[in-house]
Every structure is written in C-alpha cells, then in structure tokens.
Amino acid sequence: MNIYKEISNLIISKLQENKEIKDFITPQILKNLAIEVPKLREFGDFSTNIAMLLSKSMGKSPREIATLIKPTLEGIPNLDTISIAGPGFINLKLKDGYIKEISLSNNFAPDTKTTEKIDLDYGGYNVGKALHIGHLRTTVVGDTFNRIAKFLGYKTKAYNHMGDWGRPMGLIIAWVLENGMPQNVDDVNRMYPASSTRAKEDPAWLEKAQKITVELQNGNEEYKKIYDTFMPMSLGQVSKLLTRLNILPFDENKGERLIAEYVPEVQEILDAKGIIEHSDGAEIISVKQDTDTEPMPPVMWRSSAGAQTYAAADLTAIYYREKTDNPNTIIYFTDNRQTLHFKQIFRAARIAGFATDIELQHIGFGTITGTDGKPFKTRDGNVPSLDEMINIVADSVRARVKESGKQLSDETIEMIALAALKFNDLMHDVKSDYIFDVDAVTSFEGRTGPYILYTAVRLNSILKKVGNISASANCELLPEERDLLMFLLDFNRIIETAFEKRAPYILANYAYDLCKMINTFYHTCPIMRDDIPEDIKTQRLAIVNQSLHVLSKSIELMGLKIPEEM
Ligand code: ARG
C-alpha cells in the first residue's frame, strides 16, 4: 500500500463532496497535487500543496483557501490533527492507533499491478573479455532496476547485448586460426587481449582481423564454427561471474549476433525509404537537426570495409525488439561515454519509423575513480577484473572480521563483500562519478552494505530468540516507534519513485535510513529486558518483525543476501 496515494485520494474525495469546491478540482489540479513529508516531523505526517493549487482559480490567497477547506478535510477518517503552515501548506497528522494498525498489517505489496512491458539493455559484455570494473555499474544497477520493475509487476526482458559479432570476434578468430581453440578457461579470456595488442603493433594483423570480421558476417562457415565453439565458453565465463555477483540471469545473451539476422531486413527498409547515404565507401544515416547546438555526426550503418557496425546492431535491435516483444519502453544502462551514440540511434530509429509507440531511454553512468580521482586501478596499475574487485573487497572484510575477533565462514565473508561492493555502487546517483575506497565500503558502520546486513542479522536474531510473534498489543507509541512505523509505510512510494526516476539509489538510501531508524528504535525501546511489560514487548516485537520484512525486501531488491550471523 502506498499511503501517500491513499491520503491524496482521501483529500480529493473529501473536497469533491464539498459543493463549493467540487468544480475547482480539475485534472490539472489532480496532476499537480503533492503529498510530502513536512519539513519538520512535528508538523504532521503529510503536507499538501492543495491550497496553493486552488488559489489561482478560486481567486483567494492560499492561506484563505486553506482556512476555507480545513473543516472539509477534518472529515478525513483517522485524522489526529490538521494545521496550516507557512504560506498555506496544510499538514495532516494521523492517529497513532491508525498508523500502528496499517503499518503492522501491511504486506507492502504494490497496490496495482501494471501490464506494461519493458526491455532492459544492460551488461553488454564483450566476447573473450573478462568482466572488469567498467561493467560493475551497468550490471548492478541494471539488475536492481530489473528487480524493482518486476516487483511492481512490469514484464521485463533483460538483454545482454553481447559484443560478439564485430572486430573482437574477428581478432579472436584470427588468433584461433594460428594458435588453436582455447584449452582452458583462462585461455578464453586471454586470446582477445593478446590479439588486440598485436593488432596495435602490426597493421597487417589488424587488416586480417577486419577481413575475417566481414567474412564471418557474410556467412563464412569455418569462422562461424569457431564462433559457435568459442562463444559458449565465453558466455560460461560471464555467467559464472554473474552467479557470483547474484545477478538475475539475462533473458537473452546472444547480442549482436542475434541481431545480425535482421540487418538485411532493416537494410531493405532503410534503402526503400532512401535514408542511407554513401560517404567514402561507408553507408551512413544523417541524424542532424537544424536545432542542434552540439555536433551530431551521422550514424555509421556500414563501415567502408563492409562490416556490420556497432550502431547498425543497436538500430536493428530496436527494430527486432519492437517486432518480437513490442515493449512500452526500452531502457539502456551504459556509461555516459555512450550518450551521443544512443542519441544518434534513437533519432535514426525515429527517422526509419521504428518504435513509434515505444519510449526509448538511455541512462548514462559516471566513472568509478580511485581516491586520487582517476579511474580506479589496482596497485599494479591495471584495470581490475570484477573477480579481482570482489576479492579485494573480500580480503578487506576478512581482515576486519579477524581484527574484531569474530569467526565467520567464507560464505558469509563473500556475502558481506558483495553487499559492500554492490551497495556502494547502488547508493550513488548513477549519473555522477564516485570514489571507490575499499576501506570505506567495508566498514560495518555508516552508509555501507555491511551496516545494512548487520542490521538485518540483528533483527533476525531477536526474532529467532522469541519464536512466534503474537498480534500487537494496544500500547502507546514512543516517538521513535512512531517514526519507524511511518518510515516503513514509505516503502511503496520509494519503490515507485525509484522506478519512475530510473534511480535505484533512492532505494539504497532508503534502506540505509531505515537501518538508522531501526537502530535508534532498538536503542531507545528495549525489548528483551526483564523490566519490560509483556504487552509493550509484544508490540515492539511486532515492529521488529515488520521492520525486518521491509528491510529484507529492500535487500533482496538490491540483489544482496542476508547471512546467518555477522
Ligand atoms: N559491448 C559494448 C561495449 O563494451 C557495450 C554494449 C552496450 N549496449 C548496447 N546496446 N550498445 O562498449
């Protein structure tokens, strides 16, 4: 249940019962009606701008309107107080008993399930290349967004648009032709970097790889066979790491190669519409508009060597997804160096008449930097693989645990390490860069993954000690209890906002604030102490139970796991 929506509906229905005001409640007002948390909690639980909105059409000052409609709003059930603040905000406070009732009986499921479909494009790894730090954000944020969307009822399809049909594959095939297929898993991730390094020093090698790429795309059987053997090995490597990271499996992994089948179809459409231009042997699509104030280069549809391009794969993918999934929205999560690329592709899609009813959205990420402000590197100056990243974090967690004299299993250390790494990634606004500091992210205090898990483990252990939770008794609420219950009630609005804004960091920071409130509650409201009367104990245990419910759900949506002990 989204209590904010509930309150908003109650305000509207009350005002509509009032004959003098009814006609002023226009669709515009409904759209702009805001229910927020008042600047100071003691002002109430909710603050609304309704008087400001009505002021213009009713020809009175917001304060006058507020005074006028206050008696009507007093009819809202379960209201404790209603007051006017500042220029005309109306603050509402609900009765403690009601807050307790709805928060403790809430299952926090979404109010309405949508039927919309969303295609998500994240990951986008490359064949023959180990996942590295540059893949962390697209993977973690994409996965959490997918979980949030599924929770709200969206039908999602997660595409790992693998870079498996362009020059990297050509470079791998060139290498395989000379050195044979990989003998072990390490070989799989070694061949592409080796071949790519050689191409930088040896133009003939590069040319050979380019030629192979074009021939592969044109159906060369021998090369296709190498692809068919190599690709599953490479994907096996990817999926092993994604399992380690607790990322939901992708629904589609075939990437550029899958799309290649549809390129001729799209080529025909583009040709028929006369959209393709020829330029120095390449085929391009011009996407510039008169109003552009920034450079807007054309889309490279086919390279002068005759190869299918990165852009062609993305443009064709839009065509393919419309044809097969016909989603309401396609969202891409990549780093922000691809912002121009997606702008071009979206324009090209519109020019070609594709996806006219589909919203196309690119969410671009900032960079992960070291404490020196430069892109994060390991001590030996290399770009770390994601496996190495997890190991670095796990080592730090292990050292901390040892220092504190605790003994935790390797499995638990791994869960904490993943929480440290992933939560730190999730809590930052995707658009901005962030500093990765291994000591900071593994701390058990402050805005960190371990702190979140620790709070959940603690709640779990309280509940384990008492066994069954009985229905809550009817005792008064202390302010810390009331604040916590109000915050639990905010869960659904948070999830909806995180979804609408494409901003999982809203969820991550909610989880942190929730933990802080839980810990404040725990310190001020003792539960298991002998002098605590039975009915108060029962009520507090019910609060613990609901807190754990909401916290666990938040943790699950972030793709983290709660250990048995910490
Ligand atoms: N494979 C690409 C790269 O490593 C990223 C793919 C992003 N997704 C996409 N649909 N273009 O740069």
Side-chain angles (χ1 to χ4, degrees):
M1 175 176 89
N2 182 338
I3 182 79
Y4 290 81
K5 270 198 192 137
E6 206 96 334
I7 293 295
S8 155
N9 292 342
L10 279 169
I11 291 176
I12 296 302
S13 71
K14 277 291 154 213
L15 292 179
Q16 277 168 342
E17 281 169 24
N18 184 324
K19 279 199 216 74
E20 281 160 55
I21 299 167
K22 200 171 130 225
D23 292 339
F24 292 99
I25 308 294
T26 59
Q28 190 64 21
I29 299 254
L30 296 182
K31 206 180 124 229
N32 294 326
L33 180 64
I35 309 292
E36 280 160 0
V37 180
K39 291 232 158 49
L40 287 172
R41 269 279 182 194
E42 56 256 41
F43 285 174
D45 301 318
F46 311 95
S47 161
T48 169
N49 61 348
I50 183 73
M52 276 80 173
L53 298 180
L54 289 171
S55 160
K56 204 163 173 220
S57 56
M58 292 182 74
K60 289 190 168 75
S61 79
R63 259 201 104 89
E64 282 173 307
I65 306 270
T67 316
L68 186 81
I69 62 177
K70 191 171 164 240
T72 305
L73 295 181
E74 271 161 2
I76 291 178
N78 302 305
L79 206 58
D80 186 10
T81 60
I82 176 163
S83 56
I84 301 169
F89 285 107
I90 300 178
N91 294 325
L92 308 166
K93 187 163 187 254
L94 297 179
K95 287 206 172 83
D96 284 9
Y98 181 64
I99 294 287
K100 200 161 69 181
E101 185 193 315
I102 54 172
S103 58
L104 292 181
S105 63
N106 202 343
N107 67 3
F108 302 98
D111 296 325
T112 47
K113 289 253 173 183
T114 161
T115 53
E116 287 195 7
K117 283 194 270 182
I118 306 181
D119 281 356
L120 300 171
D121 186 318
Y122 56 95
Y125 315 111
N126 293 318
V127 62
K129 239 177 122 179
L131 270 56
H132 56 82
I133 187 170
H135 293 114
L136 184 66
R137 302 192 85 180
T138 175
T139 304
V140 169
V141 175
D143 180 64
T144 293
F145 188 81
N146 189 11
R147 289 171 192 260
I148 291 174
K150 280 179 191 292
F151 174 75
L152 291 173
Y154 291 89
K155 282 203 181 51
T156 65
K157 185 158 176 189
Y159 281 90
N160 168 18
H161 185 83
M162 280 289 283
D164 60 352
W165 206 239
R167 190 180 301 167
M169 199 62 230
L171 283 162
I172 289 167
I173 294 173
W175 193 265
V176 167
L177 289 173
E178 206 175 87
N179 303 285
M181 285 306 282
Q183 294 304 307
N184 53 49
V185 285
D186 288 337
D187 270 0
V188 174
N189 289 338
R190 218 179 274 142
M191 289 186 163
Y192 168 72
S195 185
S196 164
T197 306
R198 180 161 164 195
K200 278 186 201 120
E201 292 150 7
D202 178 358
W205 184 255
L206 176 64
E207 206 175 299
K208 184 172 168 180
Q210 278 171 329
K211 220 172 129 235
I212 291 174
T213 308
V214 175
E215 283 169 22
L216 168 74
Q217 292 175 353
N218 289 336
N220 180 305
E221 287 303 326
E222 185 193 3
Y223 299 166
K224 266 210 302 220
K225 244 192 222 136
I226 297 176
Y227 171 93
D228 286 339
T229 315
F230 192 92
M231 184 58 182
M233 294 169 117
S234 189
L235 271 181
Q237 290 287 88
V238 170
S239 93
K240 210 170 112 200
L241 183 69
L242 294 181
T243 306
R244 185 176 183 195
L245 273 171
N246 192 30
I247 300 299
L248 296 175
F250 282 93
D251 299 297
E252 185 57 79
N253 275 301
K254 279 200 292 288
E256 294 172 357
R257 196 260 175 283
L258 166 81
I259 291 311
E261 305 282 324
Y262 296 83
V263 170
E265 228 168 288
V266 171
Q267 174 98 43
E268 234 171 79
I269 298 171
L270 299 178
D271 280 336
K273 292 194 174 174
I275 291 169
I276 289 182
E277 294 163 45
H278 294 263
S279 165
D280 294 332
E283 293 178 21
I284 59 171
I285 303 169
S286 168
V287 290
K288 215 173 138 46
Q289 291 167 359
D290 294 343
T291 47
D292 285 337
T293 51
E294 287 159 19
M296 184 53 69
V299 167
M300 178 72 75
W301 170 256
R302 193 170 289 279
S303 78
S304 52
Q308 170 186 318
T309 58
Y310 180 58
D314 269 321
L315 180 55
T316 306
I318 292 177
Y319 170 81
Y320 169 83
R321 290 168 193 176
E322 178 179 26
K323 202 169 136 126
T324 53
D325 311 329
N326 195 22
N328 301 77
T329 314
I330 307 177
I331 311 177
Y332 300 79
F333 297 90
T334 79
D335 73 57
N336 56 25
R337 285 171 302 181
Q338 304 217 29
T339 303
L340 177 63
H341 165 74
F342 283 106
K343 240 187 219 160
Q344 292 173 291
I345 295 300
F346 295 169
R347 284 194 186 182
R350 301 302 184 210
I351 292 170
F354 299 160
T356 38
D357 294 329
I358 301 175
E359 194 183 339
L360 302 171
Q361 247 181 22
H362 172 240
I363 311 293
F365 301 154
T367 309
I368 304 177
T369 72
T371 38
D372 58 359
K374 300 204 186 97
F376 186 85
K377 300 256 169 71
T378 54
R379 243 177 250 151
D380 50 18
N382 290 320
V383 174
S385 72
L386 271 185
D387 251 329
E388 274 175 284
M389 287 286 285
I390 305 173
N391 293 341
I392 292 171
V393 178
D395 286 345
S396 164
V397 171
R398 199 169 291 115
R400 275 182 190 278
V401 170
K402 201 169 158 205
E403 209 172 287
S404 71
K406 281 186 203 161
Q407 277 208 324
L408 298 177
S409 69
D410 284 346
E411 199 192 344
T412 300
I413 302 261
E414 173 95 355
M415 282 184 201
I416 301 172
L418 285 174
L421 183 68
K422 291 171 77 174
F423 179 81
N424 180 58
D425 193 76
L426 285 167
M427 75 180 199
H428 292 97
D429 182 343
V430 285
K431 287 181 223 77
S432 43
D433 298 349
Y434 75 75
I435 296 169
F436 177 78
D437 174 355
V438 66
D439 282 332
V441 307
T442 57
S443 170
F444 279 41
E445 276 153 48
R447 205 175 285 269
T448 68
Y451 173 72
I452 308 269
L453 293 192
Y454 186 72
T455 308
V457 168
R458 183 186 242 178
L459 295 184
N460 250 330
S461 83
I462 299 171
L463 293 175
K464 252 186 241 154
K465 271 187 217 133
V466 293
N468 277 345
I469 299 292
S470 28
S472 178
N474 215 1
C475 317
E476 259 178 52
L477 287 175
L478 293 182
E480 290 79 9
E481 294 174 306
R482 196 182 189 284
D483 287 350
L484 176 54
L485 291 179
M486 273 309 296
F487 204 65
L488 293 177
L489 280 173
D490 210 0
F491 176 75
N492 294 89
R493 180 177 69 143
I494 291 291
I495 298 294
E496 283 166 30
T497 315
F499 173 80
E500 277 154 23
K501 299 208 152 123
R502 319 301 192 217
Y505 75 89
I506 292 175
L507 167 64
N509 288 294
Y510 170 80
Y512 170 69
D513 292 336
L514 177 60
C515 287
K516 249 184 17 190
M517 286 191 139
I518 290 170
N519 287 314
T520 307
F521 153 76
Y522 185 76
H523 284 297
T524 40
C525 309
I527 303 169
M528 306 306 269
R529 239 172 42 197
D530 291 343
D531 60 333
I532 303 296
E534 207 51 38
D535 54 347
I536 292 189
K537 191 167 156 184
T538 308
Q539 174 165 298
R540 290 184 181 166
L541 282 172
I543 297 177
V544 167
N545 194 42
Q546 276 302 58
S547 302
L548 181 61
H549 179 79
V550 174
L551 182 56
S552 305
K553 196 77 224 165
S554 308
I555 288 174
E556 184 194 318
L557 289 174
M558 292 190 281
L560 313 179
K561 288 185 191 157
I562 305 171
E564 284 293 315
E565 52 161 1
M566 249 177 102

PDB file of all heavy atoms in Angstrom, residues 68-85:
ATOM      1  N   LEU A  68     -10.443  27.908   4.488  1.00  0.00           N
ATOM      2  CA  LEU A  68     -11.754  27.567   3.944  1.00  0.00           C
ATOM      3  C   LEU A  68     -11.978  26.056   3.856  1.00  0.00           C
ATOM      4  O   LEU A  68     -13.064  25.554   4.181  1.00  0.00           O
ATOM      5  CB  LEU A  68     -11.862  28.197   2.541  1.00  0.00           C
ATOM      6  CG  LEU A  68     -13.208  28.097   1.844  1.00  0.00           C
ATOM      7  CD1 LEU A  68     -14.133  29.185   2.371  1.00  0.00           C
ATOM      8  CD2 LEU A  68     -13.034  28.266   0.327  1.00  0.00           C
ATOM      9  N   ILE A  69     -10.956  25.328   3.433  1.00  0.00           N
ATOM     10  CA  ILE A  69     -11.189  23.888   3.217  1.00  0.00           C
ATOM     11  C   ILE A  69     -10.836  23.031   4.433  1.00  0.00           C
ATOM     12  O   ILE A  69     -11.138  21.842   4.455  1.00  0.00           O
ATOM     13  CB  ILE A  69     -10.430  23.359   1.969  1.00  0.00           C
ATOM     14  CG1 ILE A  69      -8.909  23.501   2.131  1.00  0.00           C
ATOM     15  CG2 ILE A  69     -10.901  24.045   0.710  1.00  0.00           C
ATOM     16  CD1 ILE A  69      -8.136  22.928   0.939  1.00  0.00           C
ATOM     17  N   LYS A  70     -10.230  23.652   5.419  1.00  0.00           N
ATOM     18  CA  LYS A  70      -9.820  22.873   6.591  1.00  0.00           C
ATOM     19  C   LYS A  70     -10.988  22.076   7.207  1.00  0.00           C
ATOM     20  O   LYS A  70     -10.852  20.870   7.447  1.00  0.00           O
ATOM     21  CB  LYS A  70      -9.184  23.798   7.635  1.00  0.00           C
ATOM     22  CG  LYS A  70      -8.500  23.062   8.757  1.00  0.00           C
ATOM     23  CD  LYS A  70      -7.698  24.020   9.634  1.00  0.00           C
ATOM     24  CE  LYS A  70      -7.340  23.365  10.934  1.00  0.00           C
ATOM     25  NZ  LYS A  70      -7.825  24.012  12.122  1.00  0.00           N
ATOM     26  N   PRO A  71     -12.165  22.729   7.429  1.00  0.00           N
ATOM     27  CA  PRO A  71     -13.282  21.965   8.017  1.00  0.00           C
ATOM     28  C   PRO A  71     -13.671  20.756   7.166  1.00  0.00           C
ATOM     29  O   PRO A  71     -14.026  19.698   7.710  1.00  0.00           O
ATOM     30  CB  PRO A  71     -14.426  22.979   8.070  1.00  0.00           C
ATOM     31  CG  PRO A  71     -13.761  24.317   7.995  1.00  0.00           C
ATOM     32  CD  PRO A  71     -12.524  24.146   7.204  1.00  0.00           C
ATOM     33  N   THR A  72     -13.606  20.903   5.850  1.00  0.00           N
ATOM     34  CA  THR A  72     -13.944  19.774   4.974  1.00  0.00           C
ATOM     35  C   THR A  72     -12.959  18.634   5.168  1.00  0.00           C
ATOM     36  O   THR A  72     -13.339  17.464   5.276  1.00  0.00           O
ATOM     37  CB  THR A  72     -13.914  20.228   3.490  1.00  0.00           C
ATOM     38  OG1 THR A  72     -14.779  21.353   3.363  1.00  0.00           O
ATOM     39  CG2 THR A  72     -14.362  19.125   2.567  1.00  0.00           C
ATOM     40  N   LEU A  73     -11.656  19.010   5.221  1.00  0.00           N
ATOM     41  CA  LEU A  73     -10.637  17.963   5.344  1.00  0.00           C
ATOM     42  C   LEU A  73     -10.657  17.301   6.716  1.00  0.00           C
ATOM     43  O   LEU A  73     -10.169  16.188   6.888  1.00  0.00           O
ATOM     44  CB  LEU A  73      -9.244  18.545   5.064  1.00  0.00           C
ATOM     45  CG  LEU A  73      -9.030  19.045   3.624  1.00  0.00           C
ATOM     46  CD1 LEU A  73      -7.617  19.583   3.445  1.00  0.00           C
ATOM     47  CD2 LEU A  73      -9.307  17.942   2.596  1.00  0.00           C
ATOM     48  N   GLU A  74     -11.249  17.994   7.681  1.00  0.00           N
ATOM     49  CA  GLU A  74     -11.349  17.399   9.016  1.00  0.00           C
ATOM     50  C   GLU A  74     -12.185  16.131   9.001  1.00  0.00           C
ATOM     51  O   GLU A  74     -12.120  15.307   9.904  1.00  0.00           O
ATOM     52  CB  GLU A  74     -11.907  18.411  10.025  1.00  0.00           C
ATOM     53  CG  GLU A  74     -10.786  19.211  10.659  1.00  0.00           C
ATOM     54  CD  GLU A  74     -11.245  20.520  11.296  1.00  0.00           C
ATOM     55  OE1 GLU A  74     -12.459  20.807  11.279  1.00  0.00           O
ATOM     56  OE2 GLU A  74     -10.369  21.254  11.797  1.00  0.00           O
ATOM     57  N   GLY A  75     -12.958  15.965   7.920  1.00  0.00           N
ATOM     58  CA  GLY A  75     -13.776  14.750   7.785  1.00  0.00           C
ATOM     59  C   GLY A  75     -12.976  13.525   7.387  1.00  0.00           C
ATOM     60  O   GLY A  75     -13.516  12.417   7.307  1.00  0.00           O
ATOM     61  N   ILE A  76     -11.704  13.685   7.089  1.00  0.00           N
ATOM     62  CA  ILE A  76     -10.882  12.526   6.730  1.00  0.00           C
ATOM     63  C   ILE A  76     -10.784  11.607   7.944  1.00  0.00           C
ATOM     64  O   ILE A  76     -10.464  12.059   9.044  1.00  0.00           O
ATOM     65  CB  ILE A  76      -9.469  12.975   6.281  1.00  0.00           C
ATOM     66  CG1 ILE A  76      -9.560  13.697   4.942  1.00  0.00           C
ATOM     67  CG2 ILE A  76      -8.511  11.787   6.177  1.00  0.00           C
ATOM     68  CD1 ILE A  76      -8.250  14.236   4.412  1.00  0.00           C
ATOM     69  N   PRO A  77     -11.089  10.334   7.757  1.00  0.00           N
ATOM     70  CA  PRO A  77     -11.095   9.427   8.910  1.00  0.00           C
ATOM     71  C   PRO A  77      -9.692   9.226   9.498  1.00  0.00           C
ATOM     72  O   PRO A  77      -8.695   9.351   8.787  1.00  0.00           O
ATOM     73  CB  PRO A  77     -11.637   8.112   8.338  1.00  0.00           C
ATOM     74  CG  PRO A  77     -11.563   8.230   6.866  1.00  0.00           C
ATOM     75  CD  PRO A  77     -11.481   9.669   6.514  1.00  0.00           C
ATOM     76  N   ASN A  78      -9.646   8.918  10.749  1.00  0.00           N
ATOM     77  CA  ASN A  78      -8.399   8.602  11.464  1.00  0.00           C
ATOM     78  C   ASN A  78      -7.416   9.752  11.561  1.00  0.00           C
ATOM     79  O   ASN A  78      -6.214   9.569  11.727  1.00  0.00           O
ATOM     80  CB  ASN A  78      -7.689   7.400  10.830  1.00  0.00           C
ATOM     81  CG  ASN A  78      -8.557   6.171  10.818  1.00  0.00           C
ATOM     82  OD1 ASN A  78      -9.039   5.764  11.870  1.00  0.00           O
ATOM     83  ND2 ASN A  78      -8.798   5.621   9.657  1.00  0.00           N
ATOM     84  N   LEU A  79      -7.957  10.971  11.413  1.00  0.00           N
ATOM     85  CA  LEU A  79      -7.106  12.150  11.487  1.00  0.00           C
ATOM     86  C   LEU A  79      -6.951  12.577  12.947  1.00  0.00           C
ATOM     87  O   LEU A  79      -7.920  12.628  13.687  1.00  0.00           O
ATOM     88  CB  LEU A  79      -7.795  13.265  10.696  1.00  0.00           C
ATOM     89  CG  LEU A  79      -6.909  14.335  10.111  1.00  0.00           C
ATOM     90  CD1 LEU A  79      -5.877  13.726   9.176  1.00  0.00           C
ATOM     91  CD2 LEU A  79      -7.768  15.345   9.372  1.00  0.00           C
ATOM     92  N   ASP A  80      -5.733  12.879  13.322  1.00  0.00           N
ATOM     93  CA  ASP A  80      -5.487  13.359  14.672  1.00  0.00           C
ATOM     94  C   ASP A  80      -5.545  14.890  14.678  1.00  0.00           C
ATOM     95  O   ASP A  80      -6.397  15.494  15.329  1.00  0.00           O
ATOM     96  CB  ASP A  80      -4.129  12.845  15.145  1.00  0.00           C
ATOM     97  CG  ASP A  80      -3.862  13.185  16.591  1.00  0.00           C
ATOM     98  OD1 ASP A  80      -4.798  13.644  17.270  1.00  0.00           O
ATOM     99  OD2 ASP A  80      -2.715  12.997  17.039  1.00  0.00           O
ATOM    100  N   THR A  81      -4.656  15.522  13.926  1.00  0.00           N
ATOM    101  CA  THR A  81      -4.693  16.984  13.831  1.00  0.00           C
ATOM    102  C   THR A  81      -4.541  17.422  12.385  1.00  0.00           C
ATOM    103  O   THR A  81      -4.039  16.696  11.536  1.00  0.00           O
ATOM    104  CB  THR A  81      -3.533  17.628  14.610  1.00  0.00           C
ATOM    105  OG1 THR A  81      -2.308  17.146  14.056  1.00  0.00           O
ATOM    106  CG2 THR A  81      -3.589  17.314  16.080  1.00  0.00           C
ATOM    107  N   ILE A  82      -5.009  18.647  12.129  1.00  0.00           N
ATOM    108  CA  ILE A  82      -4.808  19.248  10.816  1.00  0.00           C
ATOM    109  C   ILE A  82      -4.439  20.710  11.078  1.00  0.00           C
ATOM    110  O   ILE A  82      -5.065  21.394  11.879  1.00  0.00           O
ATOM    111  CB  ILE A  82      -6.064  19.097   9.928  1.00  0.00           C
ATOM    112  CG1 ILE A  82      -5.878  19.800   8.597  1.00  0.00           C
ATOM    113  CG2 ILE A  82      -7.305  19.605  10.612  1.00  0.00           C
ATOM    114  CD1 ILE A  82      -6.895  19.343   7.556  1.00  0.00           C
ATOM    115  N   SER A  83      -3.370  21.188  10.430  1.00  0.00           N
ATOM    116  CA  SER A  83      -2.930  22.552  10.711  1.00  0.00           C
ATOM    117  C   SER A  83      -2.448  23.231   9.431  1.00  0.00           C
ATOM    118  O   SER A  83      -2.142  22.574   8.431  1.00  0.00           O
ATOM    119  CB  SER A  83      -1.804  22.532  11.740  1.00  0.00           C
ATOM    120  OG  SER A  83      -0.751  21.706  11.260  1.00  0.00           O
ATOM    121  N   ILE A  84      -2.437  24.558   9.496  1.00  0.00           N
ATOM    122  CA  ILE A  84      -1.994  25.333   8.334  1.00  0.00           C
ATOM    123  C   ILE A  84      -0.617  25.895   8.660  1.00  0.00           C
ATOM    124  O   ILE A  84      -0.387  26.410   9.748  1.00  0.00           O
ATOM    125  CB  ILE A  84      -2.991  26.467   8.038  1.00  0.00           C
ATOM    126  CG1 ILE A  84      -4.376  25.842   7.783  1.00  0.00           C
ATOM    127  CG2 ILE A  84      -2.539  27.283   6.836  1.00  0.00           C
ATOM    128  CD1 ILE A  84      -5.492  26.848   7.736  1.00  0.00           C
ATOM    129  N   ALA A  85       0.294  25.794   7.701  1.00  0.00           N
ATOM    130  CA  ALA A  85       1.655  26.253   7.967  1.00  0.00           C
ATOM    131  C   ALA A  85       2.137  27.144   6.846  1.00  0.00           C
ATOM    132  O   ALA A  85       1.704  27.008   5.693  1.00  0.00           O
ATOM    133  CB  ALA A  85       2.590  25.058   8.116  1.00  0.00           C
TER     134      ALA A  85
END
